[in-house]
Amino acid sequence: MKSEISPAEARRIALTAQGFNARDRETAVTPMRLRRAIARLGLLQIDSVNVLVRAHYLPLFSRLGRYDRTLLDQITVQRPRRFFEYWGHEASLLSIDHQPLLRWRMARARRGEGVWRRLQPFAAERRAEADAVLERIATEGPLAASQLGEPTARKGMWVWSDAKHALEWLFWAGLVAATHRGGTFERVYDLPERALPRSILEAPTPSGVDARRELLARAAQSLGVATAADLRDYYRIPAADVAEPIEQLIEEGTITPVRVRGWRQQAYLHREARAGRGLAGAALLSPFDPLVWRRERTERLFGFRYRLEIYTPADKRQHGYYVLPFLLDGTLVARVDLKADRQAGALVVQNASFEAHAPRHTAEVLLEELHLMAAWLGLSRLDTASSERLGAASLDSNADPESAAGKAAAYEDILDPDGQ
């Protein structure tokens, strides 16, 4: 293997590992294709923000194109269970074989370690409260937090009742498991023995080092080339726990140390990593997409500084509330702040900005991708009034049926001639 690679080759390796090489976005998306795409990524991050669409749906659209989101809902709850929700890279949807590999995290949570500060007392002096919640679930069956106790007087996303805190500690500790998400995207919990396959629960528990080595190996395969910090971030493994398993991965030949010109940190190349060349095409990326969720790596790979500004005061935001990077032919060239106005049936572009190196046709291709996204979300129109450059491109496309938006409309007709 090479001891040194160029930044361009590192970028191609990363994109190929993430499923952006020779993409096929025209073939019908079956449950099997969805499962394979998730397996390549290892996990899908889940987030509660719904200004556009729930975050876990977007990475599959970016790679596979327009697909039926209900298929993803179905395959994640069908039995035997092939997926489950737990703390992977934040709250995540993971393939079921990750469960034994994350028991070390559950064991630490039972000791009050590695969990949010407000949950720690339920591992000790408030354990009786958690046990009472666990007993209710054991007796009554699957329950959501809203079915436990009284709501708090204050309102807010992170304003939780005591019962909700107890329940979240039980979930982190692996003493309950999520069965699905309800209509308000609220987790529903049950006992692991009723929610997860027996074969998984009876699988041997690997040592902490062995489990973290396997998680790091999976991260390396999904990333292609990465630093130690990149690898541990994928499944949020503490820094103190990565040195030994990384050395073991090097010894067994799973990863090889490599220098990427321009990177200050040591990088590691997975043994199956390939620098694909079929990177042509466009994709809008979720803020929680594995390709860009580690912002330092995004800047190293693409020279693209990206920050999520959801929690930034509105008057201090640079690019917007929910901003998606735009990938074109293997390069990040623009970003758009998007909102799904479901009542008006419109995908609204609240802001759009273009990198200095963006090709001249970026606006036209971005417009096409936005039309495809609107159709995928069941929105009948695209509102570009807030973006002068996209608005101008939209006017040009309306006049020219062969231009980007014209081709997008034709593409929608091919995909769905009856408008269903």
Side-chain angles (χ1 to χ4, degrees):
M1 282 194 176
K2 298 180 180 180
S3 59
E4 180 177 287
I5 61 176
S6 69
E9 188 173 7
R11 186 165 56 250
R12 292 199 307 272
I13 288 169
L15 287 163
T16 300
Q18 281 283 304
F20 286 100
N21 183 56
R23 286 180 299 156
D24 177 4
R25 301 180 81 197
E26 297 184 10
T27 301
V29 180
T30 63
M32 178 62 75
R33 287 193 69 199
L34 288 179
R35 289 193 291 267
R36 287 175 177 170
I38 300 171
R40 177 189 284 272
L41 300 177
L43 72 169
L44 297 174
Q45 185 175 342
I46 296 172
D47 190 81
S48 59
V49 176
N50 196 30
V51 66
L52 178 65
V53 65
R54 300 292 184 189
H56 59 292
Y57 294 112
L58 273 167
L60 300 173
F61 170 75
S62 301
R63 291 155 178 81
L64 304 178
R66 188 174 162 186
Y67 74 96
D68 184 350
R69 282 172 287 152
T70 63
L71 282 182
L72 180 59
D73 298 335
Q74 292 166 7
I75 68 171
T76 58
V77 298
Q78 69 184 21
R79 295 187 181 264
R81 292 288 295 272
R82 300 188 184 189
F83 300 94
F84 78 117
E85 183 180 339
Y86 187 62
W87 294 104
H89 183 93
E90 300 297 332
S92 302
L93 182 67
L94 305 112
S95 59
I96 197 69
D97 64 349
H98 281 81
Q99 200 272 350
L101 302 176
L102 292 164
R103 290 177 188 164
W104 61 272
R105 180 165 289 160
M106 299 173 189
R108 288 183 178 181
R110 292 178 192 184
R111 299 193 297 269
E113 301 170 8
V115 299
W116 297 326
R117 180 177 55 81
R118 291 185 178 182
L119 304 187
Q120 292 171 0
F122 295 96
E125 65 269 21
R126 300 184 67 179
R127 179 62 187 268
E129 295 175 55
D131 287 341
V133 171
L134 185 62
E135 179 60 29
R136 278 198 61 182
I137 293 173
T139 302
E140 300 176 29
L143 292 173
S146 60
Q147 298 172 280
L148 298 167
E150 294 296 322
T152 62
R154 293 185 300 135
K155 300 295 182 182
M157 182 183 300
W158 301 110
V159 179
W160 290 354
S161 67
D162 288 345
K164 169 66 173 175
H165 281 98
L167 185 53
E168 287 303 312
W169 176 78
L170 290 168
F171 175 65
W172 214 315
L175 297 173
V176 298
T179 62
H180 65 287
R181 293 255 182 177
T184 58
F185 207 58
E186 184 181 26
R187 284 196 197 110
V188 178
Y189 304 84
D190 201 355
L191 300 180
E193 55 266 34
R194 296 197 297 235
L196 302 177
R198 177 182 297 180
S199 60
I200 291 296
L201 295 175
E202 294 179 351
T205 299
S207 70
V209 171
D210 288 347
R212 291 186 285 273
R213 183 178 66 247
E214 177 60 23
L215 290 172
L216 289 166
R218 295 185 183 200
Q221 187 169 23
S222 295
L223 292 172
V225 60
T227 67
D230 298 335
L231 293 175
R232 73 177 185 84
D233 177 73
Y234 210 79
Y235 290 98
R236 295 293 169 90
I237 298 173
D241 293 327
V242 301
E244 183 178 358
I246 283 181
E247 284 302 314
Q248 293 173 348
L249 291 172
I250 294 171
E251 291 174 7
E252 68 187 31
T254 299
I255 60 175
T256 301
V258 65
R259 179 176 178 267
V260 180
R261 291 196 295 275
W263 290 20
R264 290 176 299 179
Q265 306 94 328
Q266 173 69 64
Y268 300 93
L269 189 67
H270 191 268
R271 62 186 172 198
E272 296 177 6
R274 299 292 182 269
R277 296 186 179 275
L279 302 175
L284 287 160
L285 303 175
S286 163
F288 306 102
D289 192 293
L291 183 66
V292 296
W293 65 25
R294 179 162 167 76
R295 312 310 186 198
E296 297 91 336
R297 184 169 187 265
T298 302
E299 197 159 351
R300 269 185 274 118
L301 281 171
F302 298 100
F304 185 89
R305 190 178 188 279
Y306 178 51
R307 299 292 184 272
L308 188 61
E309 299 180 280
I310 287 176
Y311 300 111
T312 302
D315 61 340
K316 297 184 183 302
R317 291 178 191 141
Q318 182 179 1
H319 296 289
Y321 179 80
Y322 199 76
V323 176
L324 279 66
F326 182 52
L327 180 72
L328 179 60
D329 300 337
T331 304
L332 293 177
V333 297
R335 62 192 88 202
V336 284
D337 180 20
L338 298 179
K339 175 183 178 179
D341 187 339
R342 298 173 182 89
Q343 186 172 358
L347 177 61
V348 181
V349 181
Q350 303 191 110
N351 188 33
S353 58
F354 298 79
E355 299 296 289
H357 60 269
R360 292 180 62 183
H361 65 288
T362 296
E364 288 75 15
V365 181
L366 174 55
L367 188 64
E368 177 179 359
E369 193 68 14
L370 289 167
H371 276 285
L372 292 175
M373 175 174 279
W376 173 60
L377 295 176
L379 302 171
S380 59
R381 64 186 181 90
L382 179 66
D383 181 351
T384 60
S386 297
S387 172
E388 181 178 349
R389 187 166 174 182
L390 282 180
S394 181
L395 289 173
D396 290 343
S397 68
N398 289 336
D400 179 6
E402 293 302 315
S403 64
K407 288 186 288 185
Y411 182 56
E412 293 170 21
D413 290 341
I414 292 171
L415 283 175
D416 196 357
D418 296 323
Q420 298 299 317

